[in-house]
Amino acid sequence: MKTLYKIAFFLTLLFTVKTGFAQTNPKPNISGIILDETKKPADYVTVVLFKASDSSVVKTAFTDPSGTFNFTISGKGSYYYKASNMGYKTLKSKTIVLTEDHQKVDFGTAQLIASTQNLKEVNVAVTKPLIERKMDKIVMNVSNSAVMTGSTALEVLQKAPGVTVDQNDKISMMGKQGVLIQLDGKQTYMSSADVANLLRNMQSSDIESIELITNPSSKYDASGNSGIINIKTKKNKNGGTNGSINGSLGYGKNLRANTGLNLNYRAQKVNLFGNYSYGKFERNNLIAIDRISNGTTDTYFMQVGESNRKQYNNNLKAGLDYFIDKKNTIGILVNGYFNHGNETSTNNTLIGPSFQKTDSTLTTNSLQTNKYNNVSYNLNYKSVLDTAGSEISADVDYSRYKGNDGSDYANDYRFENGNSIRPIIYTRNNTPSIIDIKAFKIDYNVSLTKTVKLEAGLKSSWVKTDNDLQAEAYVNSAWENDTRRSNQFVYDENVNAAYTNVNKQFKNTSVQIGLRVEQTNSKGNLITKNTVVERNYWDFFPTLFVQQKLSKNNQLGFSYSRRIDRPSYDALNPFIYYLDEFTYSKGNPFLNPQYTHNFELSYTLLQKYMLSIGYSRINDVIAEVILPDAASQSLYQTNANIATNISYNANLNVPLQLTKWWQTNNNLNVFYLSFEAPDLAGSALKTGKTSFQFKSQQTFTIMDGFTAEINGSYESPLDYGTLSLKARYYIDAGLSKSMFNKKASLKLALSDVFNMSENNLSSAYPGLTYSLHQKNETQIGRLSFTYRFGKNEIKPARRRSTGTEAEQGRMKN
């Protein structure tokens, strides 16, 4: 901790020195006043000062509540400014001259002119493309897409370039698992299963865009070996009072619906905002597993199961920003969800000496209930230190999650002729869980010179999870505690981190070097068995980014980072969950963190076509595996540390404007994955396969305000750990119509038009033979309507990156 205290002292000192310099600077010598069209002072207008000799930018400032702007300039020369604000024409001033004898100039008062007065003569429609390539990330703009309407965030994510969601809702990017999911720059701190639940309960109407960051800088938490997916939710871009309402109906085999309300109020000193959404969903799932259990005599299992899941979701957000002055803002934010649901399942397993001959049958009926509640609180502060963009920000976070999963099972084991082999076995589980997350972080960035920028920060997080498995069996007409399965697992984790980034801009080259240091203390306690696993370790995570501008239309980039993935909370939890007597899943409290070296080379043409080539090596990779349990002739799923995973990938994105009314974006991701483990449950594993993903989006402008979309995806066969997955593909289509002077939109979409999306996999583990088929309810028609009301041309609410984002990505909801 001494190291962290030293860095904290350094940051405090640096901030004090910077502030001291600001206080000793001479008073502003160039000033002016900007008024709006009603001749009232215009606040937060962007004012850019230019050199008259070459029109180069000198400084940027914002007007204060009195409409005044100020610049401090040393030396002599001729200057002019341009003032701009949304909804107004750009204002250009006269030219003024500073001399040695005349060092103070007042531009006087100028008035903005509203740009809306000529809207009847000019009809301009600007629509963001579905996919945008930026310097350090890929951005998928969700809000304008017709095919995304009425979808969940998890369904939207499956359409992102290079992203795959498997049959167990595990998320991969560029063929690699271990993706860190963030919401508005906040780490979620939840398990992979809980992240999937969170995304399944979030609506596309709440999402503005999705950012894919394949190689993050040292500013981000070091977790996430394949990068970060940041989901940016919608923020009202308006002032005064404004908002929107939306509703969606969908139908496949079952009805689903959701509705939501967004409100925003902005005044000179205060911004209040909030939203609430409610969703009701129902879906069917079919799963079939054929497998062979090897023994003295092989046993063949043919399992077919069908389930129906119902979910009821309530999501809310509320916040307040108080603008102390034009440079200092304090805010509070509350997020929460209150969700519950149930799932009924029936599994029939035929057992015999071959797939053609059956001698017994196992039927399992189950009812699973769930209830997930979470409330997160964030207190934040931000101070803009100068017009060069230097700022300091701090966040304090607390989040409490409460969940309860209940399961009732009835196992009926019979001979082929229908006679009972034994009495029906009844069991039930109740698994209450509590997760508490506390975090604090501070970030500071400063422009040391015109070409050198420094970022630095500190973060500490404390997480405690308490899972209690209360298992019971029905014996002699009464429920009794099942001591073989009942258990309690408590996990404590503290991570302390410090980072710094230095960015140097040369004429055509930009170089950024960073280092993140993390100290981890964790303790897992399986209380009933008195099994304790403790770990304390330090890690160093360097990063390097280089951008080289070859010409106006050609640019090269290179990046390197070292990253870590700590096991998710559910992966560590050793509890056993049964699908039936012969199929179950369990956690692994002895999992170690995995470490990744990521390299990426990129080439950008015409600022829109991009090719990236990457290489990564993961040591002690955490992978989902399906293995045999010879003692019980069962098949079980768990997580294990496989020795090594090597990945090569190439990603090509090509947007094209084929005609004035037809746009297309095409993304091809080709990758090679290899896994090697000398001893995995007694056998050696070595796999390697080249695979690819191709996604294409077509947008057609039928007429002004009326568009159509077709999206298609194909994923070739893939080997991942012990799993060998078959090809997957689907086609979506949608229509979108703006209405009521673009204040409303009506969207119609059909996902998986030909009902082709399904999961098929088999074993890549030596000596294990099985095949699995899974078909979810994916062919769904959706109708969505959104109406926006209130003022339209005011600043957006601030986005925050709170301190609990990484930890919440490892929980259930």
Side-chain angles (χ1 to χ4, degrees):
M1 291 297 294
K2 289 183 178 180
T3 304
L4 291 180
Y5 293 144
K6 290 179 181 178
I7 298 174
F9 176 77
F10 165 75
L11 287 174
T12 304
L13 179 62
L14 191 61
F15 174 61
T16 303
V17 171
K18 179 68 179 178
T19 305
F21 278 142
Q23 291 173 346
T24 58
N25 279 343
K27 294 181 179 180
N29 57 344
I30 296 179
S31 60
I33 297 175
I34 305 295
L35 305 178
D36 63 18
E37 77 277 15
T38 63
K39 296 186 179 182
K40 293 181 179 180
D43 191 9
Y44 289 104
V45 175
T46 303
V47 183
V48 183
L49 188 67
F50 295 88
K51 248 186 196 178
S53 58
D54 58 4
S55 295
S56 61
V57 176
V58 180
K59 281 190 176 182
T60 301
F62 298 95
T63 58
D64 61 20
S66 66
T68 303
F69 64 87
N70 295 285
F71 293 106
T72 302
I73 300 296
S74 59
K76 55 187 179 178
S78 299
Y79 302 92
Y80 67 91
Y81 73 79
K82 289 184 179 181
S84 60
N85 199 19
M86 187 177 293
Y88 296 93
K89 294 181 178 180
T90 300
L91 172 68
K92 183 178 179 181
S93 74
K94 62 183 180 181
T95 300
I96 57 96
V97 179
L98 287 182
T99 66
E100 292 181 359
D101 299 327
H102 190 57
Q103 281 285 302
K104 190 168 184 179
V105 175
D106 185 352
F107 272 106
T109 301
Q111 184 177 343
L112 295 172
I113 299 174
S115 62
T116 56
Q117 58 187 354
N118 293 323
L119 287 180
K120 291 183 179 180
E121 291 84 16
V122 181
N123 184 11
V124 179
V126 178
T127 303
K128 289 184 178 180
L130 179 67
I131 306 296
E132 286 187 290
R133 298 306 301 251
K134 297 192 175 180
M135 187 70 66
D136 58 345
K137 59 196 168 191
I138 302 171
V139 180
M140 184 168 77
N141 296 300
V142 176
S143 58
N144 294 324
S145 173
V147 298
M148 308 294 185
T149 180
S151 302
T152 68
L154 191 64
E155 292 168 332
V156 169
L157 198 56
Q158 295 182 66
K159 305 181 194 309
V163 175
T164 302
V165 182
D166 70 11
Q167 75 282 354
N168 294 312
D169 295 333
K170 292 289 181 71
I171 299 167
S172 302
M173 185 161 64
M174 305 305 177
K176 298 182 294 180
Q177 292 186 3
V179 182
L180 177 64
I181 304 295
Q182 293 187 345
L183 296 177
D184 290 326
K186 294 176 43 180
Q187 189 168 331
T188 53
Y189 291 87
M190 294 186 288
S191 70
S192 56
D194 297 330
V195 168
N197 279 329
L198 172 66
L199 299 179
R200 195 181 292 113
N201 298 334
M202 180 185 293
Q203 298 308 300
S204 61
S205 57
D206 298 328
I207 301 173
E208 182 70 30
S209 62
I210 294 177
E211 298 177 339
L212 310 176
I213 308 170
T214 55
N215 223 357
S217 72
S218 298
K219 181 176 181 178
Y220 295 93
D221 288 277
S223 54
N225 82 84
S226 58
I228 294 173
I229 296 177
N230 182 33
I231 299 174
K232 297 177 73 172
T233 57
K234 288 183 178 178
K235 300 292 189 297
N236 282 303
K237 299 180 180 180
N238 309 322
T241 301
N242 54 77
S244 66
I245 56 173
N246 63 78
S248 176
L249 284 175
Y251 188 81
K253 293 182 179 179
N254 300 281
L255 184 68
R256 56 185 66 194
N258 68 272
T259 185
L261 171 67
N262 291 272
L263 289 173
N264 187 70
Y265 169 76
R266 182 156 187 152
Q268 183 174 341
K269 287 285 189 179
V270 175
N271 185 58
L272 282 166
F273 58 93
N275 60 59
Y276 168 78
S277 64
Y278 171 79
K280 176 183 180 297
F281 306 92
E282 185 174 356
R283 75 168 188 178
N284 285 54
N285 177 55
L286 174 69
I287 186 170
I289 306 174
D290 291 340
R291 67 182 180 90
I292 303 173
S293 177
N294 301 117
T296 305
T297 302
D298 292 345
T299 304
Y300 291 74
F301 295 82
M302 292 162 287
Q303 175 184 325
V304 176
E306 192 166 1
S307 63
N308 177 267
R309 179 174 183 165
K310 297 178 181 178
Q311 197 72 29
Y312 306 88
N313 308 316
N314 298 270
N315 295 271
L316 61 89
K317 178 192 291 185
L320 166 69
D321 289 330
Y322 178 71
F323 306 102
I324 302 170
D325 52 41
K326 68 177 183 178
K327 291 185 177 181
N328 296 279
T329 306
I330 189 168
I332 57 174
L333 179 67
V334 180
N335 277 296
Y337 55 81
F338 305 91
N339 306 326
H340 69 277
N342 63 75
E343 184 172 3
T344 56
S345 303
T346 299
N347 287 279
N348 293 299
T349 304
L350 305 180
I351 307 169
S354 71
F355 286 132
Q356 289 74 39
K357 187 175 181 181
T358 301
D359 55 29
S360 58
T361 302
L362 174 66
T363 301
T364 301
N365 292 301
S366 65
L367 170 63
Q368 296 176 307
T369 59
N370 62 74
K371 187 176 183 180
Y372 307 128
N373 298 333
N374 174 252
V375 180
S376 301
Y377 305 91
N378 168 257
L379 176 65
N380 56 84
Y381 170 75
K382 180 179 178 180
S383 178
V384 178
L385 306 178
D386 56 34
T387 57
S390 301
E391 63 181 39
I392 188 167
S393 63
D395 287 87
V396 179
D397 292 87
Y398 174 72
S399 179
R400 184 174 180 86
Y401 164 90
K402 294 181 69 175
N404 198 334
D405 288 295
S407 303
D408 288 81
Y409 300 94
N411 292 278
D412 189 0
Y413 203 3
R414 296 178 179 270
F415 290 111
E416 185 185 13
N417 60 14
N419 294 331
S420 295
I421 296 176
R422 65 182 184 204
I424 297 175
I425 295 178
Y426 296 96
T427 60
R428 69 184 184 187
N429 301 333
N430 191 43
T431 315
S433 59
I434 297 175
I435 302 177
D436 280 306
I437 302 170
K438 303 168 187 174
F440 166 78
K441 76 182 185 82
I442 183 169
D443 297 289
Y444 175 68
N445 65 73
V446 59
S447 296
L448 300 178
T449 69
K450 288 184 178 180
T451 60
V452 179
K453 293 184 179 180
L454 170 70
E455 288 183 309
L458 295 171
K459 177 185 173 183
S460 289
S461 65
W462 298 264
V463 180
K464 179 173 182 148
T465 73
D466 187 344
N467 296 277
D468 188 10
L469 174 59
Q470 302 163 1
E472 294 180 314
Y474 195 69
V475 181
N476 298 325
S477 302
W479 288 103
E480 295 181 358
N481 180 43
D482 187 346
T483 57
R484 298 171 304 165
R485 296 191 297 119
S486 293
N487 217 325
Q488 186 176 7
F489 181 69
V490 177
Y491 180 77
D492 290 275
E493 181 182 271
N494 163 233
V495 178
N496 304 295
Y499 78 89
T500 183
N501 283 321
V502 178
N503 185 292
K504 169 65 176 175
Q505 183 68 50
F506 300 93
K507 182 178 180 181
N508 292 313
T509 308
S510 175
V511 179
Q512 179 175 292
I513 300 174
L515 177 66
R516 188 178 186 91
V517 182
E518 293 190 351
Q519 188 242 346
T520 305
N521 310 288
S522 67
K523 179 181 178 181
N525 185 3
L526 189 58
I527 292 176
T528 309
K529 295 184 178 180
N530 196 27
T531 302
V532 177
V533 179
E534 284 193 77
R535 292 190 176 92
N536 300 279
Y537 51 93
W538 285 80
D539 281 308
F540 297 85
F541 302 99
T543 58
L544 172 65
F545 295 84
V546 180
Q547 292 288 338
Q548 177 65 47
K549 186 176 181 180
L550 303 177
S551 66
K552 180 181 178 181
N553 294 322
N554 295 272
Q555 190 172 45
L556 282 176
F558 171 79
S559 63
Y560 162 77
S561 67
R562 181 176 187 260
R563 304 190 65 76
I564 185 175
D565 280 283
R566 300 175 182 89
S568 62
Y569 309 135
D570 61 335
L572 290 167
N573 191 333
F575 299 164
I576 295 176
Y577 297 94
Y578 285 93
L579 182 62
D580 61 31
E581 270 187 61
F582 298 105
T583 316
Y584 64 91
S585 65
K586 66 176 183 177
N588 180 359
F590 302 102
L591 284 172
N592 293 314
Q594 66 180 25
Y595 295 89
T596 306
H597 293 278
N598 280 327
F599 299 83
E600 186 174 271
L601 181 66
S602 64
Y603 170 68
T604 305
L605 175 65
L606 299 174
Q607 299 181 357
K608 62 179 180 178
Y609 306 110
M610 178 174 276
L611 171 67
S612 63
I613 300 173
Y615 166 81
S616 69
R617 179 185 178 91
I618 308 175
N619 296 319
D620 281 337
V621 59
I622 301 172
E624 178 186 293
V625 295
I626 296 179
L627 300 171
D629 182 345
S632 62
Q633 292 189 316
S634 299
L635 194 67
Y636 72 95
Q637 174 184 300
T638 189
N639 286 275
N641 286 109
I642 296 177
T644 307
N645 167 220
I646 293 177
S647 170
Y648 301 89
N649 72 80
N651 188 276
L652 176 66
N653 198 79
V654 181
L656 297 172
Q657 182 78 46
L658 299 179
T659 68
K660 289 183 178 180
W661 49 269
W662 183 6
Q663 290 180 326
T664 177
N665 191 89
N666 305 281
N667 184 268
L668 175 65
N669 182 40
V670 181
F671 55 93
Y672 172 83
L673 289 178
S674 68
F675 291 84
E676 186 170 351
D679 183 9
L680 179 61
S683 295
L685 174 71
K686 188 173 183 178
T687 64
K689 178 177 285 188
T690 299
S691 305
F692 71 90
Q693 301 167 347
F694 178 72
K695 296 186 178 183
S696 181
Q697 178 251 350
Q698 316 293 322
T699 302
F700 308 94
T701 303
I702 300 172
M703 63 180 66
D704 183 34
F706 189 18
T707 60
E709 285 184 34
I710 299 176
N711 285 356
S713 172
Y714 178 85
E715 301 169 12
S716 73
L718 163 70
D719 282 353
Y720 196 94
T722 64
L723 309 178
S724 183
L725 293 87
K726 303 295 190 295
R728 297 193 300 174
Y729 35 85
Y730 63 83
I731 293 175
D732 298 337
L735 296 169
S736 177
K737 180 71 174 73
S738 62
M739 307 168 68
F740 308 134
N741 197 26
K742 298 187 178 180
K743 286 184 174 292
S745 62
L746 182 66
K747 297 181 180 181
L748 175 65
L750 179 61
S751 61
D752 195 11
V753 175
F754 301 104
N755 204 23
M756 301 183 296
S757 180
E758 59 185 32
N759 298 295
N760 294 282
L761 60 92
S762 57
S763 175
Y765 182 76
L768 178 61
T769 303
Y770 71 83
S771 61
L772 181 149
H773 168 78
Q774 186 180 47
K775 184 72 176 80
N776 290 326
E777 185 179 339
T778 56
Q779 189 182 50
I780 301 168
R782 297 180 175 93
L783 181 65
S784 176
F785 178 77
T786 301
Y787 180 76
R788 295 168 290 278
F789 55 87
K791 296 184 179 180
N792 294 323
E793 302 298 340
I794 308 196
K795 298 177 183 66
R798 294 185 304 131
R799 292 191 184 274
R800 299 164 191 71
S801 173
T802 72
T804 60
E805 294 161 4
E807 290 75 16
Q808 291 196 50
R810 294 158 70 192
M811 284 179 340
K812 243 174 200 173
N813 66 308

